[in-house]
Amino acid sequence: MSTKISILTILIALCINVGFAQETDKKQAKAERKAEKQKQVEAIINARTFLFTARTAIPQGYKTVNLNTNMYNVSFAPENIISYLPYYGRAYSGAGYGNDSGIKFEGKPEEFTVTKGKKNYTVKAVVKGERDQFSLILTVSFEGSASLTVNSNSRSSISYNGVISEQEKPAEP
């Protein structure tokens, strides 16, 4: 009887030990994936040329709007910023109702700074559009998720949540 109990105890101990070893491997693999993603995000931010793709819009005083069905984005580069975002919110003088086309502009930023904080990167840019001036504040987590706040002279501010990625390079002829 004592032999059976000893064998049973050894088998249970081995099963528990194998379970803990697998858990450690999963945690280690997750940590490695997280570190790799952080290196990718750091490389994208350091290149200073990247694409913010919006997933949700968060207008002031309105409900959150899901944007997953369309590809709304902002292309960031020190020499040119191109914005193609929808706008939900209140427009003031200078932004006519009915002919408003969202937050769509292209221009050389008057200001373009990138700073690294303890938990994220912050990109600040100021761009003059055709009829308005836009102040963009992009906060990027080390894992790649991002939040963009757009302030304008003629509209209430709006925020967008999304992700950043590398800019696709145009194909050479």
Side-chain angles (χ1 to χ4, degrees), residues 66-119:
N66 185 351
L67 303 176
N68 283 336
T69 57
N70 293 314
M71 292 301 293
Y72 293 111
N73 56 53
V74 179
S75 171
F76 283 88
E79 59 280 344
N80 195 32
I81 294 179
I82 303 168
S83 174
Y84 178 71
L85 294 171
Y87 180 74
Y88 307 95
R90 182 176 218 173
Y92 305 111
S93 64
Y97 291 98
N99 64 356
D100 189 32
S101 60
I103 300 178
K104 297 175 185 166
F105 62 85
E106 180 175 356
K108 180 171 176 58
E110 295 176 358
E111 176 186 326
F112 188 90
T113 60
V114 177
T115 55
K116 182 178 181 180
K118 291 182 180 179
K119 296 183 180 181

Side-chain angles (χ1 to χ4, degrees), residues 30-62:
K30 185 176 180 180
E32 288 172 0
R33 284 193 304 270
K34 184 176 178 180
E36 181 63 31
K37 182 65 176 174
Q38 288 177 351
K39 286 180 187 176
Q40 289 173 353
V41 170
E42 183 175 18
I44 290 170
I45 292 291
N46 288 340
R48 299 174 74 98
T49 302
F50 49 88
L51 185 70
F52 168 77
T53 303
R55 299 285 185 236
T56 58
I58 308 162
Q60 282 188 346
Y62 297 93

Side-chain angles (χ1 to χ4, degrees), residues 7-20:
I7 292 173
L8 186 60
T9 305
I10 291 172
L11 285 175
I12 291 173
L14 286 175
C15 289
I16 291 173
N17 196 18
V18 169
F20 283 129

